[in-house]
Amino acid sequence: MLAIAHRRRAALPVLAASLLLALSGCGIVGGLLRPDVPEPTLRTVPAEVLARSAEACGTREDAPTGDVSFEASVERSPEAQPSGMTLPLTVTVQLASGHGEHSAGPGGTRGVLVGEEGMVAGLVTAVTVTDEGRPRDGAQTGAFAVELGACPVAGIELGAPLPDGDYSLVLHGTVSPLDHNHGQQEYWIAPGVDVAVSDGAIVP
């Protein structure tokens, strides 16, 4: 009897290990212990694109040239605070349209900072995507962070920290067709987000 009990006790760890392996293969344990969280992806705005964007500096041009027919809302992230000139955000793009299905991840986000006098004073210089999101029920929500930089003016280089002051961050992004083709690029655009800068950093 003692030998049988010993064999049963020895078999328990083997059975437990086999069950754990089977659950891992099914993705059950893996989903509990190691959720698939995508790594943040940094997307620096290409120099030539940034140079073209800088042409808006000192003007009132805060929207892209093209079909801006999709609405969006942008808010500060409730889970992360700004650091330096980096501002975490969330965006929800309304994708309902009368001409097919679309997607709009935050990776193509661009934008400008409008100063108190209504002139463009800064630009988005980089975008870090933490969650692309996916189209669902006519909308797509994503999480990302934007790196902000100043327009080139006397004594300030393009992309340097913004001077102290209050700004409105006006963002737009690209919208891609899923089941058709576009004759021209379509964009979403969102109302401005208030941004205050002090001592070369965004105020939380």
Side-chain angles (χ1 to χ4, degrees):
M1 291 293 292
L2 290 176
I4 294 174
H6 177 74
R7 285 198 298 272
R8 286 177 177 175
R9 286 196 300 269
L12 286 176
V14 177
L15 291 173
S18 300
L19 179 59
L20 183 62
L21 182 61
L23 292 175
S24 299
C26 295
I28 297 175
V29 173
L32 293 174
L33 300 181
R34 297 187 303 274
D36 293 330
V37 178
E39 290 292 327
T41 304
L42 174 64
R43 302 183 184 182
T44 303
V45 178
E48 62 274 15
V49 175
L50 192 59
R52 287 198 300 270
S53 299
E55 295 175 1
C57 290
T59 74
R60 297 181 183 272
E61 298 180 8
D62 58 4
T65 301
D67 183 354
V68 188
S69 55
F70 291 86
E71 296 181 352
S73 59
V74 174
E75 299 178 347
R76 288 195 177 207
S77 171
E79 301 175 354
Q81 293 294 318
S83 175
M85 294 304 299
T86 300
L87 180 62
L89 300 163
T90 61
V91 60
T92 298
V93 183
Q94 301 302 322
L95 296 174
S97 73
H99 62 282
E101 297 183 356
H102 300 81
S103 67
T109 300
R110 301 289 182 266
V112 298
L113 287 138
V114 178
E116 296 178 6
E117 298 180 355
M119 301 294 187
V120 174
L123 306 167
V124 171
T125 60
V127 178
T128 300
V129 178
T130 52
D131 184 4
E132 283 277 1
R134 58 181 178 179
R136 182 177 299 170
D137 298 328
Q140 184 169 347
T141 298
F144 63 112
V146 290
E147 181 77 21
L148 306 177
C151 281
V153 294
I156 300 179
E157 295 183 355
L158 175 63
L162 285 150
D164 292 359
D166 296 322
Y167 303 88
S168 177
L169 174 61
V170 182
L171 297 176
H172 65 269
T174 54
V175 177
S176 302
L178 296 178
D179 58 359
H180 61 288
N181 295 318
H182 283 166
Q184 63 175 329
Q185 180 62 61
E186 292 185 316
Y187 297 93
W188 58 262
I189 190 166
V193 176
D194 291 338
V195 176
V197 175
S198 178
D199 295 329
I202 298 170
V203 178

